[in-house]
Amino acid sequence: MRSGSRRARLGLLASFTALTAFVSVGSATAATGLNGHWAPFTRCPVDAPAMLAADGLNDTAVCVSSRSASGSIKLGSTTVPVGVSDLQVGVITHSGGASTVVSPAGGALVADPAQIPGGLLGLMCPSDIPVVSAICGQITNSTLNRVTATVESVGDPSDFQLLAGVTTGKPIITLPVRIHLENPFLGNTCYIGSASKPILLRPQNLTRPTAGTQQFDGDGTPDPAGVMGRISLLGATQTDTTYAVPGAGGCGLGLLDWAVNLKTGLPSASGGNNVVLNDAQTYVATLNDPSGAAPDAGRLMARYWHSAVR
């Protein structure tokens, strides 16, 4: 057996191990386009100091991207649709089997806003409380009634469970998020969850994904003998029913927090909530032979990533 082929297989195996520790909550359109098999990794933090410092021997830098086209999240008595979402991070795998997550600038999760069914009328009305009933009486058009909800990342993912990504029924990662509610009456500072009190999602697969491998050149061009390897885990449905949801804050400058909480049943303890993510598309990429690039494996991968930018 040729040593180069053996190193390639070992590199792909390392990639697969890193990938199975990761989960998706899927993608909004990113600003940068990448060539070929680099395409899913538009926000990989390849230039983060920890990624650049990965030597390829003790630490290996990995890019992870996960996309879900749609889904829903139940918060107390209210179900909010989940727009297209994109979760991207760098993962540094360590020789002892542990891993470290590196979030890109702007946070690990980027999601498209979704419309809450029923809008503000469904979220707060009707009400026999004078201040709320007065607002309900002013909702005379779709603009005043429309409420958008956006899932936002508020911290670094953590708590990887290796191999959970290719099985079912095991939490894969902990993802701290908040839900941003926007409406003319609620204002722009209305959130369910916060940086200090996030919603901690721990997704797990309901169905097994379809696994595949690809190899490619540094600039992303597909090549069976390429220096880069990519693993794909496609088509899984994911869920979590364990997270608790805190009360809303900052709604109508804080004056409408209680109204939102009352109608939506917040705060809500673990077991009363549910998230479903459809058709998760998860990818991981790393050098096929990181040890062969030591001690500059992280810097080399960053150079390859930049060469793929279109």
Side-chain angles (χ1 to χ4, degrees):
M1 180 184 300
R2 291 181 298 176
S3 60
S5 298
R6 182 172 181 273
R7 285 196 300 269
R9 279 192 287 273
L10 288 174
L12 284 174
L13 178 60
S15 302
F16 185 75
T17 301
L19 175 61
T20 57
F22 192 77
V23 67
S24 67
V25 187
S27 142
T29 303
T32 301
L34 296 179
N35 179 55
H37 287 323
W38 271 119
F41 306 99
T42 53
R43 297 190 299 114
C44 185
V46 293
D47 295 321
M51 294 282 282
L52 292 172
D55 60 8
L57 292 172
N58 301 305
D59 302 307
T60 300
V62 179
C63 288
V64 180
S65 169
S66 191
R67 176 187 178 96
S68 174
S70 64
S72 63
I73 181 168
K74 182 175 180 290
L75 310 168
S77 59
T78 299
T79 298
V80 178
V82 175
V84 178
S85 58
D86 176 65
L87 181 62
Q88 294 194 41
V89 295
V91 175
I92 301 170
T93 61
H94 307 297
S95 56
S99 60
T100 301
V101 180
V102 181
S103 292
L109 179 65
V110 175
D112 290 344
Q115 301 297 319
I116 293 185
L120 197 62
L121 287 171
L123 198 63
M124 293 197 327
C125 307
S127 174
D128 57 3
I129 308 298
V131 65
V132 178
S133 61
I135 291 175
C136 295
Q138 296 180 58
I139 301 175
T140 57
N141 59 57
S142 59
T143 300
L144 293 177
N145 187 48
R146 185 181 299 117
V147 178
T148 61
T150 307
V151 182
E152 298 179 353
S153 179
V154 289
D156 290 327
S158 61
D159 301 330
F160 283 107
Q161 297 296 321
L162 295 177
L163 302 179
V166 293
T167 63
T168 59
K170 295 183 179 181
I172 307 168
I173 195 172
T174 297
L175 180 66
V177 302
R178 63 184 180 182
I179 312 295
H180 191 187
L181 303 179
E182 294 180 275
N183 167 272
F185 289 107
L186 297 178
N188 294 321
T189 61
C190 181
Y191 291 93
I192 299 174
S194 64
S196 60
K197 263 192 175 178
I199 300 168
L200 297 176
L201 300 179
R202 298 179 177 89
Q204 57 183 265
N205 288 334
L206 277 175
T207 60
R208 289 179 183 271
T210 300
T213 63
Q214 300 84 38
Q215 287 185 229
F216 57 101
D217 294 332
D219 68 354
T221 303
D223 182 354
V227 295
M228 295 293 301
R230 190 181 81 170
I231 305 295
S232 58
L233 292 177
L234 308 179
T237 299
Q238 297 172 340
T239 189
D240 180 24
T241 61
T242 65
Y243 60 93
V245 182
C251 303
L253 300 179
L255 300 176
L256 297 178
D257 293 351
W258 60 273
V260 173
N261 290 334
L262 182 66
K263 188 68 182 287
T264 57
L266 299 179
S268 177
S270 174
N273 314 292
N274 180 52
V275 65
V276 176
L277 301 168
N278 301 317
D279 193 23
Q281 310 285 315
T282 304
Y283 300 90
V284 65
T286 191
L287 295 168
N288 278 326
D289 181 20
S291 63
D296 299 315
R299 290 180 175 82
L300 180 61
M301 194 171 81
R303 191 183 313 151
Y304 286 154
W305 185 92
H306 284 286
S307 75
V309 175
R310 293 184 296 183

